[in-house]
Amino acid sequence: MTSLWSGNSAIRHGFGQVRAAAGRLRSYGAFWLKAFSQEAIDLTLRTHAGLQTRIVESPGLSLPQQDLDQLVADLRTVAGKTLPAGSLTYGIFSGERERLSRAIVTLIREEATGRPIAFNALSVMSVELDGEQQQVTHLGLVMVDPEVQGQGLSWVLYGLTTLVLFARDGFRPKWISNVTQVPAVFGMVCDTFSDVYPSPDARAFSSEVDTGSRQENASNQKSSARQSFAHLQLARGIMRQHRAVFGVGDEAGFDEGRFVITDAYTGGSDALKKTYDAAPKHRDERYNAFCLRELDYSRGDDVLQLGRIDLAGARRYLQREVPAGSMPALLAASAVLALQRLVLPVMHWLDDTRAFGTLRPRSGNGR
């Protein structure tokens, strides 16, 4: 009798797990359907037990004033947990619609209380590359309430929104930028994205030039430590037009050879300046050594990183950062592999409205 009861309990437990997994799949399915269909993203997803994540694209354009004020207040609440009140005045903290119209905010809050506990604020910058305007997604500012640090929020804050934007744009490679003096963040960007410069990684694999077996090998590797002319063009455009996005004043210098911004904390971001000892370290000592060698922490230097999110980077993110036990994550990884080998070339070939490699979109007269 006891054995029968134990067997029934195990079966009920198994059915309960299946139902829970099915519920998660429905939630993730609805999330991705909305991500692909909305003109401006405004998505809410349960990413952790008891926590809710909201991604809002261009809140300065899409939200009514009351909702926008509440969003900015939530961001300031999180920032106020780690920095003196009112110490950040640039970018999203200004509350200006124009600044918030270019932002993409990821906000994590407690479901039970509604209390905001962490956020990431991306910005989209238009920069000229080879005579054409390119959209560069700046990874922006990440802040976490000290009371909840260590709860595994980094995979959401550092990659989920970028992945959504990449998928939503038809899985076309997208340029990203990052400005930091924190070795842990510097290393995360090097590990996650492709064609990153600068990086201490000596291997050089460029998605633009690799062919044959080298291209196949590159899909499984991190990116290059080699500066390309594309990197240099974008860096010059960002430093010329978009310093205000990351709180760097006009008087700050820029070393084009090393992509180091000198005396960077002069444009409203002063409270973020750290010493090397206080800056969180990466588990890979190469990234810590690189930052210590290249940055003058007493002066307040930052490194400007440029790279791309592509299928190889998306796969690395899913495999390394997203919790391995997550069924939706495993399904997403499988979908990425299928897209890479089967579906993606067909999607790009059939879309005659945008460029794909040497193919150019049709002109308005049908030619």
Side-chain angles (χ1 to χ4, degrees):
M1 189 69 174
T2 301
S3 177
L4 180 61
W5 176 261
S6 299
N8 289 337
S9 297
I11 292 172
R12 285 196 298 272
H13 179 67
F15 278 126
Q17 288 183 318
V18 170
R19 284 195 297 270
R24 289 196 299 271
L25 283 173
R26 284 195 299 271
S27 173
Y28 275 73
F31 175 83
W32 285 106
L33 283 173
K34 289 180 69 177
F36 280 106
S37 62
Q38 289 180 335
E39 184 175 345
I41 297 171
D42 191 347
L43 302 169
T44 300
L45 180 66
R46 195 169 187 263
T47 50
H48 301 75
L51 299 180
Q52 209 171 54
T53 298
R54 182 187 183 190
I55 301 174
V56 188
E57 182 181 13
S58 304
L61 297 176
S62 61
L63 296 183
Q65 190 61 49
Q66 183 176 354
D67 293 346
L68 185 65
D69 292 342
Q70 183 59 56
L71 179 64
V72 173
D74 288 341
L75 301 178
R76 289 172 175 164
T77 295
V78 178
K81 292 286 187 175
T82 56
L83 300 172
S87 59
L88 293 180
T89 59
Y90 74 97
I92 57 169
F93 296 104
S94 68
E96 298 174 6
R97 277 195 175 271
E98 193 275 331
R99 297 285 177 89
L100 288 158
S101 68
R102 299 193 303 268
I104 304 165
V105 176
T106 303
L107 179 67
I108 302 178
R109 62 172 71 249
E110 295 176 343
E111 280 185 319
T113 65
R115 180 172 73 98
I117 60 170
F119 73 83
N120 178 21
L122 307 181
S123 293
V124 178
M125 305 179 293
S126 183
V127 186
E128 187 174 295
L129 176 63
D130 295 334
E132 297 183 358
Q133 292 298 310
Q134 291 281 334
Q135 298 299 306
V136 178
T137 302
H138 184 67
L139 297 185
L141 181 63
V142 173
M143 302 200 78
V144 181
D145 187 328
E147 295 179 9
V148 298
Q149 288 180 356
Q151 292 191 12
L153 304 180
S154 60
W155 72 271
V156 174
L157 296 170
Y158 285 110
L160 179 61
T161 305
T162 307
L163 182 66
V164 169
L165 295 174
F166 172 60
R168 196 169 180 261
D169 197 40
F171 297 96
R172 288 172 170 80
K174 296 177 71 68
W175 284 101
I176 63 94
S177 64
N178 180 55
V179 171
T180 190
Q181 63 174 185
V182 177
V185 176
F186 174 79
M188 179 277 301
V189 172
C190 293
D191 283 344
T192 302
F193 299 100
S194 299
D195 298 320
V196 175
Y197 181 83
S199 164
D201 198 330
R203 292 169 300 188
F205 296 97
S206 173
S207 59
E208 293 181 321
V209 300
D210 290 330
T211 58
S213 60
R214 189 180 177 196
Q215 186 175 38
E216 177 68 19
N217 192 27
S219 68
N220 295 313
Q221 297 288 346
K222 290 183 295 185
S223 59
S224 144
R226 182 183 302 165
Q227 183 191 114
S228 69
F229 187 51
H231 287 117
L232 184 58
Q233 289 181 77
L234 292 173
R236 286 173 173 172
I238 289 170
M239 294 305 297
R240 183 171 58 250
Q241 300 173 277
H242 299 289
R243 291 179 178 228
V245 170
F246 38 89
V248 170
D250 293 337
E251 63 272 31
F254 182 60
D255 185 331
E256 291 188 351
R258 298 184 300 135
F259 275 28
V260 170
I261 305 170
T262 57
D263 195 15
Y265 294 83
T266 56
S269 60
D270 310 52
L272 297 175
K273 181 178 176 181
K274 296 177 177 63
T275 64
Y276 175 77
D277 291 337
K281 307 302 188 292
H282 197 277
R283 59 183 177 274
D284 189 332
E285 186 56 36
R286 292 179 307 150
Y287 301 129
N288 304 330
F290 181 93
C291 290
L292 181 60
R293 181 180 68 249
E294 300 294 336
L295 303 180
D296 184 335
Y297 281 83
S298 61
R299 179 173 57 194
D301 290 357
D302 273 342
V303 60
L304 168 62
Q305 293 176 282
L306 282 165
R308 294 201 282 182
I309 174 69
D310 56 12
L311 279 169
R315 183 169 59 183
R316 282 194 297 271
Y317 168 73
L318 290 168
Q319 292 175 340
R320 298 178 185 179
E321 305 299 331
V322 180
S326 170
M327 184 181 298
L330 295 177
L331 291 176
S334 300
V336 167
L337 292 173
L339 282 164
Q340 186 177 26
R341 298 189 178 275
L342 299 173
V343 182
L344 189 61
V346 177
M347 290 173 58
H348 286 175
W349 183 271
L350 294 176
D351 184 356
D352 61 5
T353 63
R354 287 186 287 183
F356 174 51
T358 58
L359 299 178
R360 291 294 178 262
R362 290 189 305 173
S363 61
N365 59 14
R367 291 186 294 174

Short mmCIF file of all heavy atoms in Angstrom, two decimals, residues 11 55 79 113 132 148 242 296 302 306 343:
data_model
loop_
_atom_site.label_atom_id
_atom_site.label_comp_id
_atom_site.label_asym_id
_atom_site.label_seq_id
_atom_site.Cartn_x
_atom_site.Cartn_y
_atom_site.Cartn_z
N ILE A 11 3.88 10.09 -9.58
CA ILE A 11 3.19 10.41 -10.83
C ILE A 11 2.57 11.80 -10.77
O ILE A 11 2.68 12.60 -11.71
CB ILE A 11 2.11 9.35 -11.13
CG1 ILE A 11 2.78 8.00 -11.46
CG2 ILE A 11 1.21 9.79 -12.28
CD1 ILE A 11 1.81 6.86 -11.57
N ILE A 55 10.32 45.19 -20.27
CA ILE A 55 11.18 45.81 -21.27
C ILE A 55 10.34 46.85 -22.01
O ILE A 55 9.31 46.52 -22.60
CB ILE A 55 11.74 44.78 -22.26
CG1 ILE A 55 12.55 43.71 -21.52
CG2 ILE A 55 12.61 45.47 -23.31
CD1 ILE A 55 13.01 42.57 -22.42
N ALA A 79 18.67 53.51 -8.25
CA ALA A 79 19.95 54.22 -8.21
C ALA A 79 20.22 54.78 -6.81
O ALA A 79 21.36 54.79 -6.34
CB ALA A 79 19.94 55.36 -9.23
N THR A 113 5.31 43.07 -4.03
CA THR A 113 5.29 44.45 -3.53
C THR A 113 5.34 45.50 -4.62
O THR A 113 5.03 46.67 -4.37
CB THR A 113 6.48 44.69 -2.59
OG1 THR A 113 7.71 44.57 -3.33
CG2 THR A 113 6.49 43.67 -1.45
N GLU A 132 26.81 55.37 -44.61
CA GLU A 132 25.42 55.06 -44.30
C GLU A 132 25.21 55.10 -42.79
O GLU A 132 26.12 54.82 -42.02
CB GLU A 132 25.03 53.68 -44.84
CG GLU A 132 25.10 53.57 -46.35
CD GLU A 132 24.65 52.21 -46.85
OE1 GLU A 132 24.32 51.34 -46.00
OE2 GLU A 132 24.62 52.00 -48.08
N VAL A 148 19.58 42.75 -3.10
CA VAL A 148 19.23 41.58 -3.92
C VAL A 148 20.38 41.16 -4.82
O VAL A 148 20.19 40.31 -5.71
CB VAL A 148 17.97 41.86 -4.76
CG1 VAL A 148 16.78 42.13 -3.87
CG2 VAL A 148 18.19 43.01 -5.73
N HIS A 242 27.67 61.51 -29.43
CA HIS A 242 26.82 60.86 -28.44
C HIS A 242 27.44 60.76 -27.04
O HIS A 242 27.08 59.86 -26.28
CB HIS A 242 26.45 59.46 -28.93
CG HIS A 242 25.69 59.46 -30.21
ND1 HIS A 242 24.38 59.89 -30.31
CD2 HIS A 242 26.06 59.09 -31.48
CE1 HIS A 242 23.96 59.77 -31.56
NE2 HIS A 242 24.96 59.30 -32.29
N ASP A 296 43.64 54.53 -16.16
CA ASP A 296 44.13 55.29 -15.02
C ASP A 296 42.92 55.56 -14.12
O ASP A 296 42.11 56.45 -14.38
CB ASP A 296 44.75 56.61 -15.50
CG ASP A 296 45.37 57.42 -14.36
OD1 ASP A 296 44.92 57.24 -13.20
OD2 ASP A 296 46.26 58.24 -14.64
N ASP A 302 37.81 55.40 -18.81
CA ASP A 302 36.88 54.35 -19.23
C ASP A 302 37.39 53.73 -20.52
O ASP A 302 38.13 54.37 -21.28
CB ASP A 302 35.48 54.92 -19.51
CG ASP A 302 34.60 54.98 -18.26
OD1 ASP A 302 34.92 54.28 -17.29
OD2 ASP A 302 33.63 55.73 -18.27
N LEU A 306 33.38 48.19 -28.71
CA LEU A 306 32.46 48.04 -29.82
C LEU A 306 32.47 46.59 -30.28
O LEU A 306 33.53 45.96 -30.37
CB LEU A 306 32.87 48.95 -30.98
CG LEU A 306 32.51 50.42 -30.83
CD1 LEU A 306 33.27 51.28 -31.83
CD2 LEU A 306 31.01 50.63 -31.00
N VAL A 343 17.00 28.11 -41.66
CA VAL A 343 15.95 29.07 -41.93
C VAL A 343 16.48 30.45 -42.26
O VAL A 343 15.97 31.14 -43.15
CB VAL A 343 14.98 29.16 -40.72
CG1 VAL A 343 13.85 30.13 -41.01
CG2 VAL A 343 14.43 27.78 -40.39
#
